[in-house]
Amino acid sequence: MKISHFKLSMFLECPLRYKFYYIDELKEYCKPKPYHSMGISIHSALEKFFCQEQRSLDILHNLLRKNWVREGYSSRNEERMWGLKALAMLKDFYEGANVDINPAMLEAEFSVSFDSFTLTGRIDRVDKIEKGYEVIDYKTGAGMTRDEVDKDLQMTIYSIGFYHTHKVIPRKLTFHFLKDSTKITTTRSEQDIENGVLFIKEIVEKMKDETKFSPKPNRFCAYCDFTILCPSFQKNAYII
């Protein structure tokens, strides 16, 4: 059974949504959204930017244009609005980050097998730093608190994947929030990694044993692709 952060978080967030997506495979209900398309475009531009020998703001902006995903927008005006947001984020990134660094890894995929599942993922960027490595994940959405980052499952998964693939614990785990040009760095110890694996194993067993797949109303319900199929949303359509 292949497991990713996306898959785990969906099950934890709402078992019924997980069922619709992974078991019933109702992918036809999943329409592209502007913020997803913009995020993919920015990630592609940044990956290719750090592969360039010459790096300028114009080059970064042109890479965004070349890799722009034109899906999920209701009109050209809406697409332009999101495009301007993306250009502004990358301008702030270029002016505030060290753009001369040569990352050790870009879009680094991992696949680690355990007894009952295979953990997969892809890390945006890994930098070689003093006495180790820094794992970096770009975020184009809302920021997070320090406490949320310290407990974040995605960073725990990245530390597990990196540790089991490269036999070294990342010295730093950093979320780079492009929307407001901020960073929050956290760490995971060897014990945290072991506890993370145990936690994931518990969730995987729950996934396998689940039969009810009950909906779990939460603040993301209004943005779910399956609202038309969800009895809880139809009953409580005011949930946002």
Side-chain angles (χ1 to χ4, degrees):
M1 184 178 189
K2 286 189 176 181
I3 294 295
S4 63
H5 171 254
F6 182 77
K7 193 171 187 177
L8 283 169
S9 60
M10 185 181 293
F11 180 80
L12 291 169
E13 183 182 289
C14 180
L16 183 58
R17 184 182 174 213
Y18 170 86
K19 178 179 181 293
F20 287 150
Y21 191 90
Y22 282 104
I23 298 176
D24 299 336
E25 296 186 338
L26 300 176
K27 304 296 193 332
E28 66 270 21
Y29 286 88
C30 301
K31 306 301 182 184
K33 295 179 175 58
Y35 51 86
H36 285 153
S37 294
M38 182 193 72
I40 293 170
S41 304
I42 286 177
H43 278 74
S44 295
L46 286 172
E47 178 195 3
K48 291 173 175 59
F49 178 70
F50 281 105
C51 294
Q52 308 296 311
E53 291 187 9
Q54 300 295 321
R55 300 171 190 169
S56 67
L57 181 57
D58 283 343
I59 288 173
L60 181 54
H61 277 177
N62 284 332
L63 285 170
L64 177 71
R65 295 183 180 98
K66 289 179 182 178
N67 293 278
W68 185 251
V69 178
R70 307 193 68 177
E71 295 181 343
Y73 306 105
S74 61
S75 66
R76 291 298 299 272
N77 284 336
E78 183 183 43
E79 182 180 354
R80 182 175 183 276
M81 179 190 72
W82 284 95
L84 291 173
K85 285 183 180 181
L87 290 169
M89 285 188 198
L90 291 180
K91 180 175 184 292
D92 289 343
F93 175 87
Y94 181 84
E95 293 175 348
N98 178 7
V99 297
D100 295 321
I101 195 168
N102 292 312
M105 305 174 199
L106 292 167
E107 297 296 320
E109 296 185 355
F110 60 84
S111 180
V112 183
S113 295
F114 295 95
D115 293 338
S116 57
F117 65 93
T118 298
L119 186 65
T120 65
R122 179 184 295 171
I123 300 170
D124 290 339
R125 184 174 129 201
V126 179
D127 288 352
K128 183 72 174 70
I129 60 173
E130 186 178 1
K131 297 181 181 179
Y133 294 90
E134 179 179 12
V135 166
I136 299 170
D137 187 75
Y138 302 122
K139 292 293 184 189
T140 55
M144 299 165 67
T145 66
R146 159 68 60 183
D147 186 58
E148 287 173 333
V149 171
D150 287 341
K151 297 176 181 177
D152 185 75
L153 178 60
Q154 183 178 10
M155 277 307 192
T156 298
I157 289 174
Y158 283 176
S159 64
I160 293 170
F162 194 85
Y163 173 69
H164 282 273
T165 302
H166 302 284
K167 309 306 177 187
V168 60
I169 297 173
R171 190 168 181 81
K172 293 182 177 180
L173 303 163
T174 299
F175 276 130
H176 192 142
F177 300 101
L178 301 175
K179 190 174 182 179
D180 57 6
S181 299
T182 60
K183 298 180 187 178
I184 299 181
T185 297
T186 187
T187 60
R188 297 291 187 273
S189 66
E190 187 171 357
Q191 186 62 58
D192 291 329
I193 290 173
E194 291 177 4
N195 291 340
V197 172
L198 291 175
F199 175 75
I200 294 170
K201 286 182 178 179
E202 290 177 4
I203 302 305
V204 169
E205 291 308 311
K206 289 181 180 179
M207 287 176 168
K208 292 178 177 179
D209 296 338
E210 183 65 61
T211 57
K212 294 183 179 179
F213 295 100
S214 300
K216 188 187 292 185
N218 61 76
R219 63 192 178 95
F220 301 112
C221 285
Y223 310 104
C224 178
D225 293 301
F226 305 108
T227 54
I228 195 171
L229 303 176
C230 178
S232 180
F233 186 86
Q234 297 304 316
K235 182 179 179 182
N236 304 296
Y238 57 85
I239 295 176
I240 58 172

